[in-house]
Amino acid sequence: MGLTIAEKIIKAHIVSGEMKRGSEIALKIDQTLTQDATGTMAYIEFEAIGIPRVKTELSVAYIDHNTLQSGFENADDHRYIQSVAKKYGIRFSRPGNGICHQVHLERFGKPGKTLIGSDSHTPTGGGIGMLAMGAGGMDVAVAMGGGAYYITMPKMYKVNLTGRLPEWVSAKDVSLEILRILSVKGGVGAIIEWGGEGVKTLSVPERATITNMGTELGATTSVFPSDEITREFLRAQGREEDYVPLESDEDAVYDRVIDIDLSSLNPLLACPHSPDNIKSAKELSDVAVDQVCIGSCTNSSLRDMLRVAAILKGKKIADSVSLSVSPGSKQVLSMLADCGALSDILASGARVLECACGPCIGMGFSPNSAGVSLRTFNRNFEGRSGTRDAEVYLVSPELAAASALTGHITDPRTLGKYPEITMPESFKTDDSAVIMPAAEKDAESLGILRGPNIKSFPETSPLPDTLEANLTLKVGDNITTDHIMPAGAKILPYRSNIPKLSEFCFEVCDETFPERAKAAKNTFIVGGSNYGQGSSREHAALVPLYLGVRAVIAKSFARIHAANLINAGIIPLTFENPDDYDRLSRDDSLVLENVKASLDSGKFTLYDKTSGEKLTLVGEFTKRQKEMLLAGGLLPYTKKS
Ligand code: MIC
Ligand code: SF4
């Protein structure tokens, strides 16, 4: 039987388990990346494991999220991460050098390699033929220490592309189209391979837009073949030697095949408040726009920026619109400056922001009250922009630029002639903003710089045989990690201070939750389906741990969040009968009996003391996960073994 691209990479990296859909496999990880919002915690965990030097082929620590530095906290985190990187053998990408995924694609990604990153958009690397996955910080810490990364062997989906994108329609529209087809749950448990003749018409940055946004499908990752187009990109980045060809076998077996004819696509938008709430530009053309933001790890490549500059050239944005443009990396920004495109962007009335995540994670540029914001980003969850009642739409750079000019949602095709852009034969490569680690022999004497905001890891405790807790919070379907542990300019400075962070837990759903959870001492949370979708932030598990959450009971879980809960020693359980969700009410007093025996059988009995009812919950864990839960999480488990 032939193999898919992902299966080939898995086969070359598997260290234990069987390549059988649904069974647990352990993978050797070649590369890791962290960003600063999850990085501090990941490095605190790495230090706790106690390994003197990273064992990966390459590990990079990026600073791109918390660059607002409205107080000392972020700067202290940056300094801490820089000192850890120097000592332990990690490259340090300075603030301003760019968004982790964009820079990694440009300078470090290699076809055929495995990459995990403490950020859910790590699959961007799939655009260059990597098996690149988002993970919790603790998993990244373990991988840096040479430990394997455990996943459930995913199903294999294939998207067959035919045709060629029409003018004014771009890779972002392909992402929105697949979200329309599959929804935010449709990729759960699957790897999505992009293939077919149409692939040959897409450049690496376009492919990377598509693999980046595959995260919003809930997919484990997405991957493109590595072909002549990949070689061309690597050559232009001055690293053709990193090229290896990679394609699936003709007789590879897929669990689902989806056909998309690129020629038939139209400009699309994801409407508030979910990336799969798709409409066409035509349907929304009378909606007035207050703000447009172009950038983020989805759409900030040189190609996207040149296109935007060409659309804006010689024109002025509407008076009613505030437009921000954040190029994805220093490479992109300086090439835009060199060719004059930056002046075209500035002359249009745009505000140019630094090469960082910025507005995407609510770090400034929040929209006005009830404002309509068009963003080339990947998430439009409620409140994520920093303005609770904002209406955020996700769009392509073309649609964003066109709407900035007119002041209302605009099908870019109405602008007439599609401006040509010329991609340079080679990119400007200057890695001086990536600081190399100290030589191993000099590293031992180096100290770590810790600021007062950096607090230690929350305490975990082994799992008792009877768990009694209050049902302190009941939430609905599609709860994101942005609901559980919001981000934004006000909260992000506390990513390395779990006690302070806990004050904001579930703020979007119920501001009283932190106080009530503390008072309850032991808490169970009940959720609907796809609980924990979105960001990989392990803070969405560590903060609940700190607040006394011992189990989360939901209809279903998103992959990374379920792993983060187990890593934190919190049991994720599902209802045997999803209708039982309705039988539980907030503040019920719940008991989970015979936890150890239940871990073995995979079936748990939940006794609701308040209603007197009993219901069955399911928790099928691997041997390793059971041991981890019993030990109180991944850190105590790793230290023990
Ligand atoms: C995001 O896009 O939500 C983030 C911020 O990049 C997160 C990571 C984080 O919360 O720090 C992600 O996608 O994993
Ligand atoms: Fe940064 Fe936004 Fe990308 Fe997350 S999705 S890495 S916040 S640009």
Side-chain angles (χ1 to χ4, degrees):
M1 193 178 84
L3 298 179
T4 68
I5 295 174
E7 284 168 338
K8 288 186 182 181
I9 306 179
I10 291 172
K11 194 170 168 211
H13 289 84
I14 195 160
V15 290
S16 73
E18 232 188 299
M19 249 178 43
K20 214 173 72 198
R21 316 295 209 244
S23 64
E24 189 181 62
I25 53 168
L27 296 175
K28 177 185 172 296
I29 296 302
D30 302 320
Q31 300 190 348
T32 64
L33 70 79
T34 57
Q35 40 89 338
D36 51 321
T38 52
T40 309
M41 202 43 83
Y43 294 115
I44 291 173
E45 289 150 359
F46 179 74
E47 284 191 279
I49 298 172
I51 286 173
R53 196 82 178 168
V54 292
K55 296 190 176 152
T56 45
E57 289 173 14
L58 175 91
S59 287
V60 191
Y62 292 93
I63 307 291
D64 54 0
H65 281 60
N66 288 335
T67 55
L68 215 51
Q69 295 167 237
S70 44
F72 65 89
E73 293 88 353
N74 295 155
D76 279 4
D77 278 354
H78 301 172
R79 213 173 51 141
Y80 165 74
I81 294 174
Q82 185 166 358
S83 66
V84 167
K86 186 146 202 150
K87 186 175 174 73
Y88 293 109
I90 300 152
R91 295 188 202 195
F92 177 79
S93 172
R94 301 182 101 129
N97 192 41
I99 305 174
C100 53
H101 309 304
Q102 175 66 25
V103 178
H104 208 84
L105 188 77
E106 290 167 358
R107 306 304 306 142
F108 300 115
K110 291 186 187 177
K113 297 280 181 187
T114 51
L115 163 71
I116 64 167
S118 60
D119 191 281
S120 65
H121 291 103
T122 306
T124 311
I128 207 170
M130 302 189 88
L131 191 76
M133 291 164 287
M138 236 184 273
D139 287 316
V140 177
V142 168
M144 285 190 289
Y149 179 53
Y150 290 80
I151 55 166
T152 305
M153 179 70 194
K155 291 175 279 185
M156 300 287 147
Y157 288 3
K158 168 120 184 230
V159 186
N160 247 326
L161 295 177
T162 51
R164 172 183 284 278
L165 285 171
E167 290 183 350
W168 296 106
V169 181
S170 71
K172 181 60 157 280
D173 299 305
V174 181
S175 293
L176 297 174
E177 172 67 3
I178 190 75
L179 273 154
R180 189 186 66 74
I181 298 171
L182 285 178
S183 90
V184 291
K185 291 181 239 176
V188 173
I191 292 182
I192 301 181
E193 178 180 315
W194 293 77
E197 277 302 297
V199 155
K200 296 194 188 124
T201 67
L202 297 173
S203 64
V204 166
E206 290 170 295
R207 296 174 179 188
T209 293
I210 294 170
T211 54
N212 172 284
M213 239 185 134
T215 298
E216 272 53 63
L217 299 163
T220 303
T221 188
S222 306
V223 65
F224 272 82
S226 172
D227 55 12
E228 281 309 308
I229 289 165
T230 321
R231 187 207 286 265
E232 195 47 51
F233 176 81
L234 287 168
R235 184 186 304 135
Q237 289 287 353
R239 48 194 197 95
E240 192 178 352
E241 68 282 4
D242 290 342
Y243 173 73
V244 289
L246 196 62
E247 61 179 357
S248 53
D249 294 328
E250 296 240 318
D251 53 346
V253 178
Y254 297 93
D255 300 85
R256 183 165 176 187
V257 178
I258 297 161
D259 293 307
I260 295 182
D261 175 5
L262 294 172
S263 328
S264 70
L265 296 184
N266 294 307
L268 299 172
L269 300 93
C271 302
H273 299 284
S274 181
D276 60 359
N277 189 9
I278 307 295
K279 292 215 167 94
S280 72
K282 269 204 201 109
E283 289 170 82
L284 295 162
S285 59
D286 50 356
V287 177
V289 172
D290 299 294
Q291 183 192 64
V292 176
C293 302
I294 300 177
S296 92
C297 56
T298 316
N299 280 121
S300 60
S301 65
L302 182 65
R303 191 186 181 88
D304 284 337
M305 292 290 150
L306 287 176
R307 183 73 71 199
V308 166
I311 297 171
L312 297 177
K313 190 176 170 135
K315 302 194 175 116
K316 294 280 176 221
I317 58 171
D319 287 353
S320 54
V321 171
S322 176
L323 167 66
S324 78
V325 177
S326 2
S329 68
K330 194 176 71 143
Q331 179 183 80
V332 174
L333 178 57
S334 70
M335 290 182 76
L336 284 176
D338 289 353
C339 73
L342 187 61
S343 303
D344 296 333
I345 294 175
L346 285 169
S348 74
R351 294 161 63 179
V352 174
L353 309 183
E354 75 173 323
C355 307
C357 301
C360 178
I361 190 59
M363 293 305 267
F365 225 79
S366 297
N368 53 289
S369 306
V372 170
S373 178
L374 262 49
R375 302 178 157 213
T376 66
F377 306 166
N378 47 41
R379 290 184 174 146
N380 58 347
F381 306 144
E382 204 169 353
R384 180 172 160 104
S385 65
T387 302
R388 224 191 225 194
D389 57 0
E391 301 275 302
V392 177
Y393 294 81
L394 306 175
V395 301
S396 68
E398 289 80 355
L399 195 148
S403 307
L405 292 173
T406 61
H408 57 89
I409 291 179
T410 300
D411 184 331
R413 293 173 297 196
T414 58
L415 292 190
K417 195 171 163 348
Y418 191 44
E420 285 300 314
I421 55 163
T422 321
M423 286 302 291
E425 281 199 355
S426 61
F427 291 94
K428 197 167 160 186
T429 54
D430 166 14
D431 292 330
S432 57
V434 180
I435 299 174
M436 295 300 281
E440 204 162 348
K441 63 176 179 28
D442 306 325
E444 209 186 321
S445 60
L446 294 175
I448 300 297
L449 303 170
R450 257 173 262 273
N453 183 50
I454 301 180
K455 303 279 188 255
S456 54
F457 190 79
E459 265 185 39
T460 66
S461 54
L463 201 59
D465 206 36
T466 306
L467 259 183
E468 246 189 287
N470 182 60
L471 198 175
T472 314
L473 187 73
K474 186 172 175 187
V475 286
D477 288 345
N478 290 323
I479 286 294
T480 70
T481 44
D482 273 278
H483 290 101
I484 306 170
M485 203 48 260
K490 191 175 77 180
I491 305 176
L492 271 177
Y494 303 113
R495 275 292 179 89
S496 39
N497 182 346
I498 299 288
K500 178 72 188 165
L501 209 56
S502 72
E503 295 168 19
F504 307 98
C505 188
F506 275 109
E507 195 186 38
V508 198
C509 307
D510 178 352
E511 277 173 3
T512 65
F513 172 71
E515 277 313 310
R516 294 190 299 105
K518 270 196 204 150
K521 297 226 161 35
N522 276 345
T523 278
F524 287 172
I525 292 175
V526 168
S529 60
N530 203 20
Y531 180 89
Q533 66 158 328
S535 156
S536 67
R537 62 191 71 150
E538 61 185 338
H539 304 74
L542 298 181
V543 168
L545 167 70
Y546 173 81
L547 289 173
V549 176
R550 304 303 308 256
V552 180
I553 303 162
K555 289 185 187 167
S556 66
F557 288 91
R559 177 187 73 93
I560 304 176
H561 187 60
N564 284 342
L565 288 173
I566 298 172
N567 287 352
I570 299 175
I571 326 181
L573 296 169
T574 53
F575 295 99
E576 187 178 49
N577 172 6
D579 294 341
D580 283 349
Y581 170 88
D582 298 318
R583 290 166 64 193
L584 298 173
S585 312
R586 199 184 108 178
D587 287 329
D588 281 1
S589 177
L590 304 177
V591 189
L592 213 50
E593 285 159 351
N594 302 321
V595 172
K596 285 177 192 148
S598 308
L599 276 175
D600 284 330
S601 67
K603 291 265 161 75
F604 295 70
T605 305
L606 183 76
Y607 173 47
D608 186 334
K609 283 210 288 197
T610 312
S611 68
E613 297 201 55
K614 281 197 171 177
L615 38 116
T616 308
L617 303 175
V618 180
E620 280 164 7
F621 303 106
T622 64
K623 182 167 168 286
R624 180 181 147 272
Q625 289 172 327
K626 283 180 211 162
E627 285 171 8
M628 226 153 59
L629 283 168
L630 287 170
L634 180 56
L635 270 196
Y637 168 79
T638 307
K639 279 199 221 159
K640 233 171 59 184
S641 50

